[in-house]
Amino acid sequence: MLSLSFCRLAAAATLAAAIVPCAQAQAPYVPVTIQYGDFVVTSDRFDPLVTLSFRQHGYWPGGAREVAEVRPLKATREGQPMLLAFTKGYTGQGTILIGVQNGEPLMRPISPMQRDSMVRTERDPEWGVPQPGRPELLLFARDGRALDTGTGELLWFDVPGGVTGDYAPAMLVSVSPDGRRGAYLTNALTKVGIIVATRDDGVAGVLALPPDTYQRWLKPLSDAASAQAGAAIKARQGRTDSNRIRRELELAWFGQQFQWKQGKGGWQVTGLGLATAPPEGKQP
């Protein structure tokens, strides 16, 4: 009798053990939601994209239907956190900044998509490179602007000539501690120099670097970028944009070799035993 009862208990336990995993497997899948103030980002493990809503209403920034990723910033607008997002596809805007104004979310493009290389851009979005020593400041060198993630302010400077694109003659490489000036690395026919530009009053400093700067410093960085891109192509993984790798290597090099110093003429750049100075004829 005791043996029979034990067998019945064992059978019941076995049946229960079989039912529990089955019940767990049939439980409905609930998408993951993350809330940033009144913004809600919803992700589904079966979909590489996310959905974005604001105060329980769907939000498609700039009309983009494909939002790949959203990142919160420290900065706020009207009590709501500001967001960085990457939108892709033919309606996508690239990397954008989202903030609330008059109770409504508004977007501003930071790093527009490169239509001639959309697949590459979508695989490796531009999120900005933290300025050495100032991680809250993101440099978008290809786009000639910077983002202060603490204030949400987009920064660009009054410098002559083109400063955007893969082969711009002047590339933004650093922003002064007060955010009022930007340093640009110029490279025209291997003649390398530095320009310090203000927000709204033109160039405030110039410096011609030694003639061997390109061969000694920049060409090895360019070669290293090409090698990294080539290795990524062979391995079929990682980024393959050699221009972007080169820009990031040059940003790191500039941060190692140069620094900002305040003087009578305001913030100027020093390094390699040299210093920028106001252009001839321009008072400090």
Side-chain angles (χ1 to χ4, degrees), residues 111 126 128-129 138-146 163-166 168 170-173 184 244 247-248 250-251:
S111 183
E126 290 274 3
V129 178
L138 299 179
L139 300 173
F140 291 83
R142 187 202 74 184
D143 307 290
R145 63 190 72 179
V163 296
T164 63
D166 283 336
M171 182 181 79
L172 179 65
V173 288
Y184 289 80
R244 180 167 170 182
R247 284 193 300 270
E248 294 183 1
E250 290 181 356
L251 286 173

Side-chain angles (χ1 to χ4, degrees), residues 60-72:
W60 296 272
R65 308 300 295 188
E66 298 178 68
V67 181
E69 188 176 349
V70 177
R71 300 181 179 185

Side-chain angles (χ1 to χ4, degrees), residues 96-108:
I96 60 174
L97 178 66
I98 301 172
V100 175
Q101 183 175 324
N102 297 324
E104 296 293 334
L106 296 177
M107 60 80 70
R108 295 183 67 182

Side-chain angles (χ1 to χ4, degrees), residues 124-154:
D124 190 16
E126 290 274 3
W127 291 109
V129 178
Q131 179 169 312
R134 296 184 64 189
E136 77 284 358
L137 192 73
L138 299 179
L139 300 173
F140 291 83
R142 187 202 74 184
D143 307 290
R145 63 190 72 179
L147 172 65
D148 187 329
T149 60
T151 65
E153 186 179 13
L154 273 178

